[in-house]
Amino acid sequence: MTTTELPSGVELLRAIAATKQSTGIWTLLGMDATEVEEGRVSFTITTRPDFANPLGAVHGGICATLLDSVMGCAVHSTLGPGVGYSTLELKVNYIRTVPTDGTRLVGTGTVLHSGRSTATAEGRIVDERGRLVAHGTTTCLIHQPQRGAHP
């Protein structure tokens, strides 16, 4: 399969969002893509008791994972067919605790820079009242397809 036969990043993400055929971490956390545009994505999750830390609030890793997902997918949405990425750096700031009572969280990632070898993005998570829960930034390594590589 050549890279011209593969979907672009935004096409792939839109297909996943439209069909609700997500896998992996999206399924594990119950993420739902609510916006997929080139350079910007939003996903939601609904908190539940199994997200709890020892104190009974949502574990910080849940918000970190949501931020990593929306920022990484925002970067992915800018990439061409066959181009991949991986997170090089993730910075998260937690603003408030979140209960495990079914609170709906919305994470939005926006690309700041998308180059040939690296990309950066920022992300925000708000609760259903619009209050900022956490925010962060990421740097991603861009993986260009190998020329002349055979499957």
Side-chain angles (χ1 to χ4, degrees):
M1 185 175 282
T2 67
T3 56
T4 56
E5 296 169 331
L6 297 172
S8 68
V10 73
E11 291 168 340
L12 176 64
L13 292 169
R14 284 180 177 154
I16 292 169
T19 62
K20 308 289 185 192
Q21 299 270 331
S22 58
T23 60
I25 197 68
W26 288 19
T27 301
L28 183 65
L29 296 185
M31 283 188 218
D32 185 32
T34 57
E35 176 186 3
V36 177
E37 300 299 329
E38 189 168 324
R40 181 181 166 93
V41 302
S42 292
F43 299 164
T44 62
I45 62 170
T46 301
T47 66
R48 54 189 197 238
D50 57 338
F51 288 178
N53 64 19
L55 298 174
V58 170
H59 188 282
I62 300 295
C63 288
T65 300
L66 180 56
L67 283 169
D68 189 39
S69 296
V70 296
M71 293 186 298
C73 286
V75 167
H76 191 186
S77 74
T78 67
L79 302 179
V83 181
Y85 72 97
S86 56
T87 301
L88 282 174
E89 178 265 341
L90 176 67
K91 167 77 168 86
V92 178
N93 295 287
Y94 300 97
I95 305 303
R96 68 180 76 247
T97 59
V98 180
T100 60
D101 63 353
T103 298
R104 184 173 182 261
L105 299 177
V106 178
T108 302
T110 306
V111 171
L112 300 172
H113 163 77
S114 185
R116 182 162 172 75
S117 60
T118 61
T120 59
E122 63 186 1
R124 296 172 49 91
I125 299 174
V126 297
D127 65 14
E128 52 204 18
R129 294 172 48 195
R131 298 179 304 172
L132 185 64
V133 169
H135 61 94
T137 57
T138 191
T139 302
C140 294
L141 177 65
I142 307 301
H143 306 279
Q144 298 295 333
Q146 297 296 317
R147 295 179 193 249
H150 300 290

